[in-house]
mmCIF file of all heavy atoms in Angstrom:
data_model
loop_
_atom_site.group_PDB
_atom_site.id
_atom_site.type_symbol
_atom_site.label_atom_id
_atom_site.label_comp_id
_atom_site.label_asym_id
_atom_site.label_seq_id
_atom_site.Cartn_x
_atom_site.Cartn_y
_atom_site.Cartn_z
ATOM 1 N N GLY A 445 24.182 299.526 109.461
ATOM 2 C CA GLY A 445 25.255 299.121 110.357
ATOM 3 C C GLY A 445 26.422 300.078 110.502
ATOM 4 O O GLY A 445 27.079 300.105 111.553
ATOM 5 N N GLU A 446 26.671 300.921 109.486
ATOM 6 C CA GLU A 446 27.960 301.638 109.427
ATOM 7 C C GLU A 446 28.321 302.337 110.741
ATOM 8 O O GLU A 446 29.466 302.240 111.209
ATOM 9 C CB GLU A 446 27.983 302.594 108.265
ATOM 10 C CG GLU A 446 29.361 303.255 108.180
ATOM 11 C CD GLU A 446 29.799 303.644 106.776
ATOM 12 O OE1 GLU A 446 29.004 303.505 105.827
ATOM 13 O OE2 GLU A 446 30.950 304.125 106.648
ATOM 14 N N ASP A 447 27.370 303.028 111.356
ATOM 15 C CA ASP A 447 27.667 303.791 112.582
ATOM 16 C C ASP A 447 28.111 302.877 113.706
ATOM 17 O O ASP A 447 28.740 303.326 114.656
ATOM 18 C CB ASP A 447 26.426 304.564 113.048
ATOM 19 C CG ASP A 447 26.081 305.638 112.067
ATOM 20 O OD1 ASP A 447 26.918 305.949 111.202
ATOM 21 O OD2 ASP A 447 24.926 306.167 112.173
ATOM 22 N N PHE A 448 27.758 301.604 113.616
ATOM 23 C CA PHE A 448 28.069 300.676 114.688
ATOM 24 C C PHE A 448 29.415 299.979 114.463
ATOM 25 O O PHE A 448 29.912 299.292 115.355
ATOM 26 C CB PHE A 448 26.956 299.583 114.806
ATOM 27 C CG PHE A 448 25.621 300.161 115.199
ATOM 28 C CD1 PHE A 448 24.761 300.679 114.211
ATOM 29 C CD2 PHE A 448 25.218 300.204 116.521
ATOM 30 C CE1 PHE A 448 23.516 301.178 114.548
ATOM 31 C CE2 PHE A 448 23.965 300.713 116.860
ATOM 32 C CZ PHE A 448 23.115 301.225 115.872
ATOM 33 N N TYR A 449 29.985 300.118 113.278
ATOM 34 C CA TYR A 449 31.134 299.299 112.950
ATOM 35 C C TYR A 449 32.462 299.888 113.472
ATOM 36 O O TYR A 449 32.600 301.037 113.752
ATOM 37 C CB TYR A 449 31.268 299.148 111.416
ATOM 38 C CG TYR A 449 30.204 298.252 110.803
ATOM 39 C CD1 TYR A 449 29.845 298.401 109.474
ATOM 40 C CD2 TYR A 449 29.577 297.292 111.563
ATOM 41 C CE1 TYR A 449 28.877 297.571 108.890
ATOM 42 C CE2 TYR A 449 28.630 296.454 111.021
ATOM 43 C CZ TYR A 449 28.276 296.611 109.682
ATOM 44 O OH TYR A 449 27.306 295.772 109.124
ATOM 45 N N THR A 450 33.458 298.986 113.528
ATOM 46 C CA THR A 450 34.806 299.362 113.910
ATOM 47 C C THR A 450 35.446 300.162 112.781
ATOM 48 O O THR A 450 35.018 300.052 111.618
ATOM 49 C CB THR A 450 35.681 298.114 114.203
ATOM 50 O OG1 THR A 450 35.592 297.244 113.059
ATOM 51 C CG2 THR A 450 35.211 297.340 115.437
ATOM 52 N N GLU A 451 36.487 300.892 113.095
ATOM 53 C CA GLU A 451 37.182 301.700 112.075
ATOM 54 C C GLU A 451 37.660 300.822 110.919
ATOM 55 O O GLU A 451 37.630 301.216 109.758
ATOM 56 C CB GLU A 451 38.350 302.443 112.710
ATOM 57 C CG GLU A 451 37.935 303.562 113.658
ATOM 58 C CD GLU A 451 36.933 304.536 113.064
ATOM 59 O OE1 GLU A 451 37.144 304.943 111.862
ATOM 60 O OE2 GLU A 451 35.944 304.866 113.700
ATOM 61 N N GLU A 452 38.112 299.606 111.245
ATOM 62 C CA GLU A 452 38.666 298.735 110.228
ATOM 63 C C GLU A 452 37.611 298.398 109.167
ATOM 64 O O GLU A 452 37.888 298.403 107.954
ATOM 65 C CB GLU A 452 39.163 297.418 110.851
ATOM 66 C CG GLU A 452 40.393 297.553 111.740
ATOM 67 C CD GLU A 452 40.100 297.817 113.215
ATOM 68 O OE1 GLU A 452 38.941 298.275 113.535
ATOM 69 O OE2 GLU A 452 40.970 297.589 114.042
ATOM 70 N N THR A 453 36.389 298.141 109.607
ATOM 71 C CA THR A 453 35.350 297.774 108.666
ATOM 72 C C THR A 453 34.935 299.033 107.880
ATOM 73 O O THR A 453 34.659 298.946 106.652
ATOM 74 C CB THR A 453 34.101 297.205 109.380
ATOM 75 O OG1 THR A 453 34.562 296.209 110.273
ATOM 76 C CG2 THR A 453 33.108 296.631 108.434
ATOM 77 N N LYS A 454 34.865 300.175 108.563
ATOM 78 C CA LYS A 454 34.529 301.416 107.865
ATOM 79 C C LYS A 454 35.495 301.669 106.727
ATOM 80 O O LYS A 454 35.120 302.113 105.628
ATOM 81 C CB LYS A 454 34.497 302.591 108.821
ATOM 82 C CG LYS A 454 33.271 302.597 109.758
ATOM 83 C CD LYS A 454 33.308 303.849 110.603
ATOM 84 C CE LYS A 454 32.163 303.753 111.620
ATOM 85 N NZ LYS A 454 32.318 304.688 112.728
ATOM 86 N N GLU A 455 36.713 301.368 107.003
ATOM 87 C CA GLU A 455 37.768 301.616 105.989
ATOM 88 C C GLU A 455 37.524 300.675 104.772
ATOM 89 O O GLU A 455 37.588 301.120 103.619
ATOM 90 C CB GLU A 455 39.147 301.387 106.619
ATOM 91 C CG GLU A 455 40.343 301.912 105.860
ATOM 92 C CD GLU A 455 40.930 300.898 104.912
ATOM 93 O OE1 GLU A 455 40.843 299.672 105.197
ATOM 94 O OE2 GLU A 455 41.465 301.313 103.866
ATOM 95 N N VAL A 456 37.213 299.419 105.061
ATOM 96 C CA VAL A 456 36.923 298.482 103.939
ATOM 97 C C VAL A 456 35.721 298.988 103.150
ATOM 98 O O VAL A 456 35.731 299.041 101.911
ATOM 99 C CB VAL A 456 36.714 297.057 104.451
ATOM 100 C CG1 VAL A 456 36.192 296.148 103.382
ATOM 101 C CG2 VAL A 456 38.006 296.491 105.060
ATOM 102 N N LEU A 457 34.671 299.392 103.883
ATOM 103 C CA LEU A 457 33.420 299.901 103.236
ATOM 104 C C LEU A 457 33.763 301.067 102.291
ATOM 105 O O LEU A 457 33.178 301.180 101.182
ATOM 106 C CB LEU A 457 32.426 300.354 104.301
ATOM 107 C CG LEU A 457 31.487 299.285 104.862
ATOM 108 C CD1 LEU A 457 30.687 299.854 106.025
ATOM 109 C CD2 LEU A 457 30.532 298.765 103.761
ATOM 110 N N SER A 458 34.659 301.953 102.757
ATOM 111 C CA SER A 458 34.928 303.148 101.947
ATOM 112 C C SER A 458 35.656 302.832 100.674
ATOM 113 O O SER A 458 35.634 303.602 99.723
ATOM 114 C CB SER A 458 35.779 304.120 102.781
ATOM 115 O OG SER A 458 37.103 303.632 102.907
ATOM 116 N N ARG A 459 36.305 301.615 100.611
ATOM 117 C CA ARG A 459 36.999 301.258 99.408
ATOM 118 C C ARG A 459 36.179 300.409 98.420
ATOM 119 O O ARG A 459 36.652 300.017 97.380
ATOM 120 C CB ARG A 459 38.288 300.495 99.746
ATOM 121 C CG ARG A 459 39.441 301.453 100.211
ATOM 122 C CD ARG A 459 40.434 300.748 101.059
ATOM 123 N NE ARG A 459 41.015 299.583 100.476
ATOM 124 C CZ ARG A 459 41.534 298.520 101.155
ATOM 125 N NH1 ARG A 459 41.499 298.558 102.457
ATOM 126 N NH2 ARG A 459 42.043 297.507 100.518
ATOM 127 N N LEU A 460 34.929 300.101 98.814
ATOM 128 C CA LEU A 460 34.095 299.290 97.922
ATOM 129 C C LEU A 460 33.437 300.154 96.896
ATOM 130 O O LEU A 460 33.165 301.324 97.095
ATOM 131 C CB LEU A 460 32.997 298.584 98.738
ATOM 132 C CG LEU A 460 33.422 297.599 99.823
ATOM 133 C CD1 LEU A 460 32.165 297.096 100.570
ATOM 134 C CD2 LEU A 460 34.212 296.441 99.230
ATOM 135 N N LYS A 461 33.183 299.554 95.694
ATOM 136 C CA LYS A 461 32.482 300.366 94.638
ATOM 137 C C LYS A 461 30.994 300.376 94.881
ATOM 138 O O LYS A 461 30.306 301.331 94.605
ATOM 139 C CB LYS A 461 32.851 299.890 93.253
ATOM 140 C CG LYS A 461 32.182 298.624 92.763
ATOM 141 C CD LYS A 461 32.554 298.408 91.308
ATOM 142 C CE LYS A 461 32.158 297.147 90.628
ATOM 143 N NZ LYS A 461 31.330 296.153 90.868
ATOM 144 N N ASN A 462 30.458 299.312 95.481
ATOM 145 C CA ASN A 462 29.024 299.310 95.830
ATOM 146 C C ASN A 462 28.828 300.062 97.159
ATOM 147 O O ASN A 462 29.702 299.998 98.021
ATOM 148 C CB ASN A 462 28.518 297.883 96.001
ATOM 149 C CG ASN A 462 28.403 297.187 94.674
ATOM 150 O OD1 ASN A 462 27.499 297.493 93.870
ATOM 151 N ND2 ASN A 462 29.284 296.226 94.384
ATOM 152 N N ARG A 463 27.691 300.673 97.284
ATOM 153 C CA ARG A 463 27.410 301.487 98.495
ATOM 154 C C ARG A 463 26.237 300.935 99.282
ATOM 155 O O ARG A 463 25.275 300.455 98.699
ATOM 156 C CB ARG A 463 27.117 302.917 98.110
ATOM 157 C CG ARG A 463 28.294 303.709 97.557
ATOM 158 C CD ARG A 463 29.100 304.348 98.688
ATOM 159 N NE ARG A 463 30.472 304.626 98.210
ATOM 160 C CZ ARG A 463 31.575 303.995 98.639
ATOM 161 N NH1 ARG A 463 31.487 303.059 99.545
ATOM 162 N NH2 ARG A 463 32.762 304.308 98.177
ATOM 163 N N PHE A 464 26.311 301.089 100.603
ATOM 164 C CA PHE A 464 25.162 300.771 101.477
ATOM 165 C C PHE A 464 24.703 302.082 102.084
ATOM 166 O O PHE A 464 25.535 302.946 102.312
ATOM 167 C CB PHE A 464 25.595 299.790 102.575
ATOM 168 C CG PHE A 464 26.002 298.439 102.051
ATOM 169 C CD1 PHE A 464 27.343 298.091 101.939
ATOM 170 C CD2 PHE A 464 25.029 297.540 101.653
ATOM 171 C CE1 PHE A 464 27.691 296.844 101.447
ATOM 172 C CE2 PHE A 464 25.393 296.282 101.150
ATOM 173 C CZ PHE A 464 26.714 295.961 101.062
ATOM 174 N N PRO A 465 23.417 302.270 102.377
ATOM 175 C CA PRO A 465 22.329 301.322 102.168
ATOM 176 C C PRO A 465 22.020 301.085 100.697
ATOM 177 O O PRO A 465 22.180 302.020 99.876
ATOM 178 C CB PRO A 465 21.141 301.972 102.890
ATOM 179 C CG PRO A 465 21.505 303.402 103.044
ATOM 180 C CD PRO A 465 22.984 303.478 103.076
ATOM 181 N N SER A 466 21.580 299.872 100.388
ATOM 182 C CA SER A 466 21.197 299.531 99.032
ATOM 183 C C SER A 466 19.873 298.781 99.064
ATOM 184 O O SER A 466 19.550 298.097 99.990
ATOM 185 C CB SER A 466 22.286 298.613 98.440
ATOM 186 O OG SER A 466 21.777 297.993 97.264
ATOM 187 N N GLN A 467 19.110 298.985 98.007
ATOM 188 C CA GLN A 467 17.825 298.305 97.894
ATOM 189 C C GLN A 467 17.931 297.090 96.941
ATOM 190 O O GLN A 467 16.912 296.533 96.572
ATOM 191 C CB GLN A 467 16.729 299.277 97.401
ATOM 192 C CG GLN A 467 16.098 300.123 98.489
ATOM 193 C CD GLN A 467 15.261 299.321 99.418
ATOM 194 O OE1 GLN A 467 15.646 299.017 100.540
ATOM 195 N NE2 GLN A 467 14.034 298.921 98.994
ATOM 196 N N ASN A 468 19.152 296.791 96.503
ATOM 197 C CA ASN A 468 19.308 295.626 95.604
ATOM 198 C C ASN A 468 19.527 294.376 96.470
ATOM 199 O O ASN A 468 20.584 294.194 97.083
ATOM 200 C CB ASN A 468 20.479 295.829 94.660
ATOM 201 C CG ASN A 468 20.572 294.668 93.663
ATOM 202 O OD1 ASN A 468 19.917 293.636 93.826
ATOM 203 N ND2 ASN A 468 21.377 294.862 92.630
ATOM 204 N N PRO A 469 18.509 293.473 96.505
ATOM 205 C CA PRO A 469 18.633 292.307 97.419
ATOM 206 C C PRO A 469 19.832 291.419 97.138
ATOM 207 O O PRO A 469 20.311 290.740 98.037
ATOM 208 C CB PRO A 469 17.304 291.517 97.157
ATOM 209 C CG PRO A 469 16.673 292.127 95.996
ATOM 210 C CD PRO A 469 17.251 293.515 95.776
#
Side-chain angles (χ1 to χ4, degrees):
Chain A
E446 183 151 4
D447 294 345
F448 297 85
Y449 289 157
T450 52
E451 290 308 316
E452 291 91 340
T453 311
K454 284 184 187 163
E455 196 269 330
V456 170
L457 272 172
S458 72
R459 281 156 56 207
L460 298 177
K461 77 174 173 15
N462 287 291
R463 290 275 159 248
F464 295 102
S466 165
Q467 276 292 103
N468 185 347

